[in-house]
Amino acid sequence: MRDAAGVLEGLGLGPAVVWGRGSGEDVAYGLAARRPDLVRAVVELPRGHRARAEDPEGFGAAVREFLAGV
């Protein structure tokens, strides 16, 4: 979590929308709990969701659509 906070601070970003899969979810929620000044929202993907390498444009479009509503 310190690494994630350091990246956001180092780049002058935040509050940010963060997400993770697997253990990355723990990092995203931990960062939100410990550093709410850096986190605008945590995105939780449904279990079994996979970013499809064969359709990166479609995945990117879905993420942009979601973020537009945050």
Side-chain angles (χ1 to χ4, degrees), residues 1-13 18 26-28 30-32 34-35 38-39:
M1 284 168 259
R2 281 187 253 159
D3 290 344
V7 168
L8 290 172
E9 291 174 324
L11 294 173
L13 300 174
V18 296
D26 296 336
V27 173
L31 180 63
R34 289 180 175 82
R35 294 295 307 273
L38 293 177
V39 179

Side-chain angles (χ1 to χ4, degrees), residues 43-62:
V43 176
E44 188 172 313
L45 296 175
R47 294 279 178 204
H49 176 82
R50 294 181 183 212
R52 304 276 186 219
E54 64 270 12
D55 187 19
E57 291 301 318
F59 178 72

